[in-house]
Amino acid sequence: MWKRLSVLWLAVRGDARQLWYALRHPAAPPWLKAGTAMVVLYLFSPLDLIPDVVPFFGVVDDLVLVPLAIRFMLKRLPAGVREHAERRAAGTVDAAG
């Protein structure tokens, strides 16, 4: 499981940071928390679209679905929240602003 998480982290590290900063923004929409919770539950759930015991394909579904879900949520954020999260993830704005 740790190997799967480390590979997944390498694939989504930038988007995951943006999602983290968007979640912490005061104007973040309520659906963002629910969507993020569902992605995390899917990631840690033993029930997958393709079980992880199936060689190669069991991990590929996580490597495809999780980044797509994160990107889907980030694209639907309000413009102000999205821009703030992008700047924070890039390190071009301080924590207060």
Side-chain angles (χ1 to χ4, degrees):
M1 178 163 162
W2 290 111
K3 184 176 180 180
R4 177 177 86 170
L5 290 176
S6 64
V7 170
L8 186 60
W9 176 249
L10 290 174
V12 300
R13 136 176 77 199
D15 288 345
R17 285 175 124 168
Q18 280 185 5
L19 184 61
W20 174 254
Y21 291 124
L23 283 168
R24 298 187 58 175
H25 194 279
W31 58 261
L32 185 62
K33 289 181 183 179
T36 302
M38 289 192 306
V39 168
V40 170
L41 285 173
Y42 176 78
L43 186 61
F44 289 108
S45 171
L47 303 175
D48 276 340
L49 190 61
I50 301 172
D52 291 338
V53 296
V54 177
F56 182 71
F57 295 110
V59 176
V60 170
D61 74 323
D62 293 339
L63 291 174
V64 172
L65 293 177
V66 171
L68 284 176
I70 291 173
R71 182 65 54 104
F72 179 81
M73 289 188 294
L74 289 174
K75 294 286 185 188
R76 275 135 190 90
L77 286 173
V81 175
R82 182 176 53 244
E83 291 168 6
H84 179 77
E86 287 172 355
R87 287 193 315 265
R88 288 287 310 272
T92 58
V93 67
D94 62 351

